[in-house]
Each structure stands twice: as structure tokens, then as C-alpha cells.
Amino acid sequence: MSTAGERLPPRAQFDRIVALTGAGISVAAGLGTFRGPDGLWTIAPDVERAMHAQYVPGNVDLMWQVWGGMHERAQEAGPTPAHRALAAVGAEVITQNVDGLHHTAGSVDAIEIHGSAGRARCLLCTWDGPAVEAARASGDPRPRCPRCGELVRPAVVLFGESLDEAALAAARRAAATCDLFLAVGTSGRVAPASWLAPLARAAGAMVINIDPVSGDPGPAFHRQVTGDAQRVLAEWAES
Ligand code: OAD
């Protein structure tokens, strides 16, 4: 990596912009990050159990504690200026977030590689639908399948589970064909999302990380823009 900087290069230099986003872009909508001093796993280390496939079905209640209502809370807060900025510049968005905010901001083709907290999946049958359609039977606080009555879980990708093949293929295609790749508000610690920046770099794109915490995001990156994604992206979209 070369030097850090405060601003992104002018948009006019690029024909195809791809943004890989993570939890940091949604902090301004009231959602938390996972890692770092304010991250969920630091504040409540026990909830990490919600994120591992090996504990299903024993962790389904915990999964609902973490993701139940997140989609609605995010939609109530609304997309942040950074979500809107990426939509306004026509960036192709690949997100690790499950809050739906890119779609609401107008990035209707945003690729949600870690699934969606707005959807649920049955543990038994093939039902997969809007989480709000999963009924809570009287006296049972856990959402149940509207088709077979079994427990349902949030349709998010857990550690130990595969990503949707079509979503991952679309993400890889986008990274390999852009000329500017932005990693926004992500620690880059989770594969295969973390492999997209090296893929973009190898294909010839300019690769930039945006994060308020100054550091070396890794050899795939040409630069880091050190700052709040809200300021950096909103200024860039207006320039
Ligand atoms: P992390 O919590 O690992 O990283 C969040 C990043 O956002 C950190 O680098 C923060 O410094 C940065 N950040 C915080 N505020 C910011 C702001 N205002 N502007 C820009 N950046 C900011 O979150 P992710 O990288 O998204 O997986 O985590 C990846 C995956 O790990 C998640 O999708 C989740 C988790 O396991 C699943 O749920 C499947």
C-alpha cells in the first residue's frame, strides 16, 4: 500500500465503480460493528455463538436476538448519506451487511453476499420468505414457518455455511471488471468477501479502503482514505 489520504480520486476518472461494504457504513443508522472496541463481539462475546452453523438449531433464539428486528430498525433509521452516495454515483454494490439499507437507498441490484435479516428460512421444509411472515404462535416467542410450523431462522450466512453461489459469482464478476474498487467500513477479516479486493487489484482496478481507523488494509490496496464513510462518500458524490 502507498500513502493514506483524506479524499477519493475524482469520479470522472472511472467508468465502473464497485463498492464492497461492511458494518461500518451502517453505524450512522444506529447499527453496530462486529470487531474493534465498540464491536458486538467485544461488548457481548456470548453472541458469537449466534454466528456459527455448528450450533444450529440450539442457537436459533440467539440468532433472533441478534438479527430479529434489525431489518426493521435499519429501515426506520433509513439509509445513511454514504448509502445514498453510492447509489447516486451508480456504484455496483456488494455488501456483507444484512440490513437492506443499500436497496432502500436505491442500489436495487446490491448483492447481499451474507444474506438478509429481512428474510427467514425454515429449519425443516424449503420455505424461505419475508421474516415478518413467519408467525409467532401464541405463547411461543420464536417465529415459525407459515407452511409447516417448524422453527425458522434468519436468512443470514453463518460461519461454516456456504455463500449463495450466484451471489458470489456476481460479486466476483463485478470485482474483476471494475476500474475502481472501494472497500467501505469493513475490516476485511472474513472470506470470501476479503478475496474481492485482491481480485479487483489483479484485474487492474484502483483499490481503495475507506475507514476512520488508520492502518494498513493489506497489499491489495493502493491507498486508504482515513475518515468516516459518511463524510468521504457524501463529499465525493457531490463533487
Ligand atoms: P467489522 O466489525 O469486522 O468491521 C467494521 C469496520 O468498519 C472496521 O474496520 C471499523 O473501523 C469500520 N468503521 C466503523 N465506523 C465507520 C465509519 N463511520 N465509516 C467507515 N468505516 C467505519 O465488520 P465487517 O467487516 O462488516 O458476517 O464484518 C464482516 C462480517 O463479519 C460480517 O458481515 C458478519 C461478521 O461475521 C456475518 O454476519 C455472516
Side-chain angles (χ1 to χ4, degrees):
M1 189 186 68
S2 65
T3 53
E6 291 293 306
R7 281 172 186 275
L8 289 168
R11 282 190 284 134
Q13 290 179 6
F14 305 99
D15 292 324
R16 191 146 182 221
I17 301 165
V18 165
L20 169 70
T21 66
I25 197 171
S26 292
V27 168
L31 303 183
T33 61
F34 295 94
R35 300 171 183 82
D38 302 325
L40 183 61
W41 296 347
T42 310
I43 304 167
D46 290 354
V47 301
E48 200 184 333
R49 196 179 157 84
M51 306 198 168
H52 289 266
Q54 74 199 80
Y55 299 120
V56 176
N59 63 352
V60 168
D61 286 354
L62 202 50
M63 287 180 77
W64 283 113
Q65 271 178 42
V66 175
W67 289 290
M70 176 203 271
H71 202 260
E72 288 69 28
R73 280 200 308 280
Q75 298 307 314
E76 275 165 25
T80 70
H83 291 91
R84 292 188 196 283
L86 289 175
V89 303
E92 210 168 337
V93 173
I94 305 162
T95 189
Q96 297 164 90
N97 299 341
V98 296
D99 54 36
L101 286 174
H102 285 294
H103 287 98
T104 318
S107 297
V108 290
D109 295 324
I111 304 166
E112 295 178 313
I113 53 175
H114 288 172
S116 168
R119 297 186 70 77
R121 260 203 329 262
C122 181
L123 293 187
L124 184 65
C125 76
T126 54
W127 185 83
D128 176 333
V132 290
E133 282 180 17
R136 288 168 202 267
S138 62
D140 189 342
R142 293 167 297 183
R144 289 193 170 269
C145 177
R147 190 188 292 158
C148 75
E150 182 52 89
L151 289 179
V152 297
R153 52 164 278 190
V156 301
V157 179
L158 303 180
F159 289 114
E161 292 180 328
S162 301
L163 273 59
D164 178 80
E165 256 177 56
L168 184 57
R172 290 177 55 83
R173 211 163 33 243
T177 52
C178 65
D179 54 4
L180 175 63
F181 182 94
L182 303 174
V184 184
T186 174
S187 60
R189 300 269 293 277
V190 175
S194 59
W195 299 339
L196 296 170
L199 181 63
R201 174 79 184 242
M206 165 83 79
V207 181
I208 299 178
N209 178 243
I210 303 171
D211 202 290
V213 179
S214 175
D216 182 354
F221 290 84
H222 291 95
R223 287 178 50 194
Q224 179 179 50
V225 173
T226 306
D228 182 353
Q230 304 304 326
R231 176 189 63 75
V232 174
L233 289 174
E235 280 178 10
W236 190 56
E238 282 164 16
S239 65

